[in-house]
Structures are given as C-alpha cells and as structure tokens.
Amino acid sequence: MSLSEDPELQPVLSGLFLTMYLVTVLGNLLIVLAVGSDPRLHTPMYFFLCNLSLADVCFISTTVPKMVVDLLTHSRVISYRGCLAQMSVFAIFACMEYMLLTVMAYDRYVAICHPLHYPVIMNPRLCGFLVLVSLLASLLDSLVHNLIVLQFTNFKGVEISNFFCDPSQLLNLTCSDTFFNNIVKCSFGIIYGIFPISGILFSYYKIISSILRISSSGGKYKAFSTCGSHLAVVCLFYGAAFGVYLGSAVSHSPRKGAVASVMYAVVTPMLNPFIYSLRNRDIKRALRRLLSRQSISKMVALAAVHVKTSGCVMEGVSRGDWHVGQPVEGG
C-alpha cells in the first residue's frame, strides 16, 4: 500500500523518509563509534546500547530504502522472495529490539538494586551470553513466521495493507484452517510480548522501590537518571508498537494502520540516538571527543598535504639536529 495516492506528494515523501533514514543511520553509528573509541564507556550498559543501535540501523534498513525507491518509481510491487526476505529480517530485528530492551532493564535493575555486586554479576561473559540469547530468540521468531507463511498455497497477486511486508499482515492472508496458526501466534505473542514486558515492569518496580528508599534527593535524581533514557525508549517503542496494532484492530482502516506503522518502524529508531545522546552526559562527552579527534586528524592531514605539495625539504630533521629558526631550503 502506498502512503499517499497523490503523485505530486511522492517526491516530498521520498525526500522526507530518505532524510529520516540517513539521520537514523548516522546517529546510531555515531553512538557505536563514540562508545567504541572511549575506554570509559566499555561497560555493560553501553555494550547493550551499541547492540541496540546496530539493531536500529538494521531494523529501519529493512523498510525505508525499499519504500523510498517505490515512491520515486511509483511502484507498489515486491517479489515473492523479496517479501519473504523483508518479513524475515524485519521480524529478526524487531524481536531483537524487544529482547535488548528487556536485557537493558535487567542491567539497570542490577546496577541500582545491587550496585556492589554489579561488576561480578554483569561480567563480560554474561553480557555476551544475553546478547547471543536475544539473537537466537529473534532468529527462532523469524523462522516460525517463515514456516507459517510458507504453508500458504495461494500467494500471487496479494495485496498487503501496509507499506512493507509486515509479518502481522502476512499471517492474516491464509484462507485455510487458522486454528493452528492462531495457537502459534498466541504462544509466540506471550513469549515475545508478555514475558519481555513483565520482565521490564518487574525490573522497574524493583528500581523504583530502591530509589524511594534513598534519603537524599540528589541520590534519587542520580539513580533515576541512569535509567531515564532507557525508560523513555521503552515507552516510545512499546507505545508505538501497541498503538499500531491496537489502533488498526479498532479502526479497521488499512491506511491509518500503514501511517501508524511509520511511527513504529521509522520514527522510533530515529529518535533512539537522540534520546540517549541528549540525556546522557557520558555519550555527549564521548561524541565531543570523537568529533574533536576527527577535526584534529583532518587538520594534521591537510598540513601534511600542504607541506608535501609546497616542496619544502627540512634538512636535518631525519638526523634529529634541526632547531627552531634554522632556515629551510626551498622554504
């Protein structure tokens, strides 16, 4: 489904979504570079943040580039294999977002409720194991979606009520007995929906209980600020996702559901780096150091190129006996 039938609006929409895509990719990659370049940010919290940023880049890359091309070419067609590939990758990284947000909630729970045991509990081996489990669970979710969709016998000339191959839309295309499919969807909805939300709610229940026991207001603010960015991302991501599916179920308007999916699949990944960079002093300092380091490297490179092209020969530099004020031949 196209977001707009107006031909004059297509170039505007394509430019808008291309800009949002570039901002998302640039913002998330800057966070990854900032964390990787600063040894002080090599902690479990920022390790999970890097993985979340990479998942955001892959998540938005499954939908927006294809949508921009479709808007420019006035096409709304996708091949059978392309649709399955888009659905598979979208399911992987959407589930990866859910799992990583749950893992980050657990990380904040350990940091605030058990600060003395935090380095022991959240050791590098456990952090890597949690990310690996999140990836394997995401692959399993995508595999189940594929197994259900591949059972469809009539999958030609199908109209999808969204601007991409949304897994929830594809699972509703079957005309056969849907009892087994409904059982599988409900089971995976509980596993990948109820369990992560329950884990996040339980973590923040414990976090809020611990914060309320802190006597000083400064200590409460410092404790809450460590999880404020994560809480904002959780509310934005889960709020947009539930708004899309609950809104589409109530209104039964395919176009409204497609427009609402933009919030879930495009706007949310774009806002995540802004939320973490604007509310996190460590990220802002690392970004400033990264940008200043790049500026210095460019200045040094330009100076080296200038010296090389000017033909200056500094005699004696290689011997180490050159002094300030000594004339330079040809200079």
Side-chain angles (χ1 to χ4, degrees), residues 36-47:
S37 63
D38 194 340
R40 286 174 289 188
L41 299 184
H42 294 174
T43 61
M45 181 177 71
Y46 295 109
F47 171 72

Side-chain angles (χ1 to χ4, degrees), residues 3-322:
L3 293 176
S4 175
E5 300 293 341
D6 187 0
E8 297 181 356
L9 196 59
Q10 306 294 325
V12 178
L13 289 176
S14 63
L16 174 63
F17 286 115
L18 180 60
T19 303
M20 296 171 70
Y21 175 71
L22 294 176
V23 169
T24 303
V25 173
L26 179 62
N28 284 286
L29 291 183
L30 278 177
I31 288 182
V32 173
L33 290 174
V35 173
S37 63
D38 194 340
R40 286 174 289 188
L41 299 184
H42 294 174
T43 61
M45 181 177 71
Y46 295 109
F47 171 72
F48 295 133
L49 177 59
C50 282
N51 285 275
L52 181 66
S53 297
L54 292 175
D56 279 333
V57 172
C58 298
F59 181 55
I60 196 173
S61 297
T62 61
T63 58
V64 174
K66 168 68 175 164
M67 179 173 58
V68 171
V69 173
D70 290 345
L71 289 170
L72 292 175
T73 59
H74 304 284
S75 172
R76 291 185 293 172
V77 178
I78 187 170
S79 66
Y80 174 74
R81 294 180 179 179
C83 187
L84 290 181
Q86 189 180 55
M87 182 203 69
S88 303
V89 179
F90 183 87
I92 289 173
F93 291 106
C95 183
M96 191 74 177
E97 293 252 354
Y98 287 119
M99 302 302 293
L100 285 175
L101 289 175
T102 306
V103 169
M104 293 173 74
Y106 174 72
D107 173 72
R108 293 298 85 206
Y109 157 71
V110 176
I112 293 177
C113 299
H114 305 283
L116 298 179
H117 298 90
Y118 179 75
V120 178
I121 297 175
M122 299 304 296
N123 56 76
R125 181 177 298 178
L126 178 62
C127 294
F129 175 75
L130 291 175
V131 172
L132 180 61
V133 169
S134 300
L135 179 59
L136 294 178
S138 304
L139 292 173
L140 178 61
D141 179 61
S142 176
L143 178 62
V144 171
H145 278 86
N146 275 293
L147 292 177
I148 296 176
V149 173
L150 288 173
Q151 295 177 358
F152 299 167
T153 57
N154 186 12
F155 204 76
K156 184 177 181 180
V158 174
E159 293 182 359
I160 301 172
S161 300
N162 212 325
F163 63 90
F164 67 100
C165 291
D166 189 357
S168 63
Q169 295 288 336
L170 296 181
L171 294 179
N172 295 327
L173 295 177
T174 179
C175 299
S176 59
D177 185 16
T178 60
F179 177 75
F180 176 74
N181 291 342
N182 289 333
I183 292 296
V184 173
K185 286 190 289 185
C186 290
S187 301
F188 273 77
I190 293 174
I191 295 173
Y192 292 101
I194 302 300
F195 284 173
I197 294 176
S198 300
I200 292 174
L201 292 177
F202 177 77
S203 298
Y204 275 101
Y205 166 73
K206 291 292 188 179
I207 288 172
I208 292 174
S209 300
S210 299
I211 291 176
L212 292 178
R213 289 197 294 266
I214 299 176
S215 58
S216 63
S217 58
K220 291 181 179 180
Y221 175 78
K222 184 178 180 179
F224 185 77
S225 63
T226 61
C227 57
S229 299
H230 175 260
L231 185 60
V233 172
V234 167
C235 294
L236 181 64
F237 189 77
Y238 277 94
F242 282 122
V244 168
Y245 293 106
L246 293 179
S248 60
V250 173
S251 65
H252 300 287
S253 174
R255 187 161 301 280
K256 290 182 180 179
V259 173
S261 297
V262 174
M263 281 292 300
Y264 167 59
V266 181
V267 177
T268 302
M270 182 186 68
L271 293 180
N272 285 354
F274 290 101
I275 293 174
Y276 276 104
S277 61
L278 293 178
R279 292 183 55 87
N280 194 304
R281 295 180 180 177
D282 295 333
I283 291 291
K284 288 191 287 188
R285 283 197 294 264
L287 285 174
R288 283 195 293 265
R289 284 193 292 267
L290 177 65
L291 294 177
S292 63
R293 190 181 306 166
Q294 294 297 325
S295 300
I296 294 174
S297 300
K298 289 181 180 179
M299 292 174 61
V300 171
L302 290 175
V305 170
H306 177 72
V307 171
K308 184 177 180 180
T309 56
S310 63
C312 296
V313 179
M314 299 182 179
E315 295 183 349
V317 175
S318 59
R319 300 192 305 270
D321 56 355
W322 181 71

